[in-house]
Amino acid sequence: DTEVTQTPKHLVMGMTNKKSLKCEQHMGHRAMYWYKQKAKKPPELMFVYSYEKLSINESVPSRFSPECPNSSLLNLHLHALQPEDSALYLCASSQGPSEVYEQFFGPGTRLTVL
Amino acid sequence: RKEVEQDPGPFNVPEGATVAFNCTYSNSASQSFFWYRQDCRKEPKLLMSVYSSGNEDGRFTAQLNRASQYISLLIRDSKLSDSATYLCVVNSGGYQKVTFGTGTKLQVIP
């Protein structure tokens, strides 16, 4: 099973809402990532979890709050977002943090903030 | 200079043509390199890793030139299904951080 799954596929939320994005992988990977991708731009790294601990935060605003409940799951909690946060949010996983392994991406959540 | 640079294209090529993309990187300490393809409104998918000795997978050949700090992707006998954006990816900070190039758009024309 080489699949990373993400839910929901699409999300529309108001600026006062609280919502969560979910990501799951069953490949035994020990590193998981959140990326943000705007149209016609490459993915931008937001967070990295290694062995369920946050290892990289790319100075992401606190209205984005990541959580790694276990080695297979990664959540991104959203609160008080701005319209400019509308984007495709991609989750990825890789074998581990001890070498640069290939990352495998989920299909993404397309987020619209009204 | 950007960390990872690619010609955005688009490259419009006829079916059956050979096309090559280059990607330059600025960090001489980078050790790992990848090519991904991304279809419109889809996630990036790994195409191939790039090894020091170069590697080939069917119609696709990737090469690394450390002296000039660039990697290349050659696609032979282009198919309509090869139409996509090709993203160059380079590790940029330790083992966990990679940087994506802006991508090169390929359109294969019948």
Side-chain angles (χ1 to χ4, degrees):
Chain A
D1 183 2
T2 57
E3 194 179 52
V4 177
T5 58
Q6 288 187 246
T7 56
K9 283 188 168 44
H10 301 275
L11 179 62
V12 179
M13 60 187 289
M15 289 190 283
T16 58
N17 292 156
K18 283 186 183 181
K19 297 285 184 185
S20 296
L21 309 185
K22 296 186 184 301
C23 173
E24 190 167 7
Q25 58 88 12
H26 293 290
M27 296 179 275
H29 288 175
R30 304 316 300 266
M32 295 185 77
Y33 311 78
W34 279 115
Y35 288 86
K36 172 183 177 180
Q37 187 175 25
K38 302 281 271 186
K40 299 189 189 302
K41 298 286 187 185
E44 292 179 8
L45 183 65
M46 300 175 72
F47 302 104
V48 181
Y49 272 82
S50 300
Y51 293 100
E52 301 161 47
K53 293 192 188 315
L54 182 65
S55 57
I56 294 179
N57 176 341
E58 290 286 273
S59 304
V60 178
S62 60
R63 57 186 185 269
F64 295 91
S65 175
E67 178 197 18
C68 189
N70 60 54
S71 59
S72 301
L73 292 174
L74 188 64
N75 298 324
L76 186 63
H77 303 297
L78 315 172
H79 174 53
L81 294 194
Q82 305 296 310
E84 59 264 29
D85 296 322
S86 298
L88 179 67
Y89 287 84
L90 293 160
C91 173
S93 70
S94 68
Q95 276 186 270
S98 58
E99 286 187 33
V100 185
Y101 291 102
E102 299 91 341
Q103 295 182 23
F104 295 90
F105 285 82
T109 293
R110 196 161 295 279
L111 174 69
T112 302
V113 182
L114 300 176
Chain B
R1 183 181 174 186
K2 288 184 182 175
E3 280 192 69
V4 182
E5 290 197 72
Q6 295 182 252
D7 181 341
F11 284 58
N12 297 312
V13 302
E15 271 186 290
T18 295
V19 62
F21 311 133
N22 281 343
C23 165
T24 57
Y25 60 95
S26 61
N27 186 349
S28 59
S30 295
Q31 293 293 320
S32 299
F33 311 88
F34 308 93
W35 283 104
Y36 282 75
R37 68 170 280 168
Q38 186 170 26
D39 294 284
C40 189
R41 299 180 70 81
K42 299 282 191 181
E43 74 274 22
K45 289 190 191 295
L46 179 69
L47 185 64
M48 56 201 312
S49 304
V50 187
Y51 305 122
S52 297
S53 55
N55 49 312
E56 187 173 315
D57 183 3
R59 299 180 293 109
F60 299 84
T61 300
Q63 295 199 310
L64 167 64
N65 185 317
R66 286 194 188 277
S68 301
Q69 292 185 210
Y70 74 87
I71 65 172
S72 63
L73 178 68
L74 181 79
I75 305 175
R76 289 180 297 277
D77 189 22
S78 299
K79 311 287 185 197
L80 294 176
S81 57
D82 294 333
S83 298
T85 295
Y86 289 82
L87 297 160
C88 164
V89 179
V90 178
N91 80 295
S92 52
Y95 295 126
Q96 297 167 62
K97 191 172 169 184
V98 297
T99 299
F100 284 76
T102 50
T104 297
K105 186 168 182 178
L106 172 66
Q107 186 70 46
V108 181
I109 305 162

